[in-house]
Amino acid sequence: MNPSSAANDLPILLDADRIANRIREMAADISRDYRDRTPHLVGVLKGAWVFMADLVRSISIHCTVDFLSIQSYGSGTVSSGEVKITKDLDVSIEGRDVLLVEDILDTGRTYSYLQEILGAHDPASLKLATLLDKHSRRILPVEADYVGFEIPDVFVVGYGLDFDQKYRNLNDVRYIPQPQTLFLFGKETPKPE
Ligand code: IMP
Ligand code: MG
């Protein structure tokens, strides 16, 4: 297998139906928990855009949306340990109930950084909804408030998630199977700072 293999050769971890069902449940929880408020959903580009689009359409209360873009990984899968904002929020979050929307919570570096940066703008509350949680890889002690699926330590693509900017268009979440392949893909386990 190499990075240009057909996308459909990769094994499925979570199929589209399962994802859709779980997102409806998450949206119901969010609609209930924020029922007297208007949550401000902030999607983290680019990985979260597909999840965000499905999640908001199942939310039954008023909500507003914004996006920010960050860079936490380069073109491969080796974490630089560095996170920077490459597209900032369009509107102020002061006094808002901010719900960050992420594709995946991995080491926790990104969320930890965003908690610090966004927290400094005085939101009324700041929570996280993530589709996937690779809990076993956590380096920093952060937890998501809404989790779609806890998954094992495999590199996943599809449903918005990429490898080298590709595979985002897949309907299912798929994974890159063997450790040897991960080596070929340049993946190494990020070291704690
Ligand atoms: P963290 O800062 O280590 O928690 O990493 C979060 C970000 O790393 C995610 O938003 C993804 O962009 C990226 N990431 C982590 N694991 C994967 C994966 O298995 N596939 C694709 N992207 C991943
Ligand atoms: Mg991301």
Side-chain angles (χ1 to χ4, degrees), residues 72-73 83 102-111 134 154-157 161-162:
S72 56
Y73 281 76
V83 183
E102 265 280 27
D103 49 358
I104 185 165
L105 184 57
D106 186 22
T107 63
R109 282 194 182 106
T110 308
Y111 182 40
K134 265 196 226 174
V154 288
F155 195 81
V156 286
V157 295
L161 292 121
D162 75 305

Side-chain angles (χ1 to χ4, degrees), residues 43-46 67-71 84-89:
V44 183
L45 295 172
K46 306 183 183 71
F67 292 92
L68 57 76
S69 189
I70 49 143
Q71 212 174 325
K84 65 173 187 199
I85 292 188
T86 53
K87 180 227 170 286
D88 211 339
L89 296 173

Side-chain angles (χ1 to χ4, degrees), residues 55-113:
L55 184 68
V56 289
R57 285 180 295 168
S58 285
I59 287 179
S60 57
I61 56 170
H62 283 303
C63 63
T64 55
V65 302
D66 201 351
F67 292 92
L68 57 76
S69 189
I70 49 143
Q71 212 174 325
S72 56
Y73 281 76
S75 62
T77 56
V78 181
S79 172
S80 61
E82 226 180 86
V83 183
K84 65 173 187 199
I85 292 188
T86 53
K87 180 227 170 286
D88 211 339
L89 296 173
D90 287 338
V91 294
S92 167
I93 56 168
E94 192 179 336
R96 298 298 310 272
D97 289 297
V98 174
L99 180 59
L100 268 175
V101 179
E102 265 280 27
D103 49 358
I104 185 165
L105 184 57
D106 186 22
T107 63
R109 282 194 182 106
T110 308
Y111 182 40
S112 179
Y113 170 80

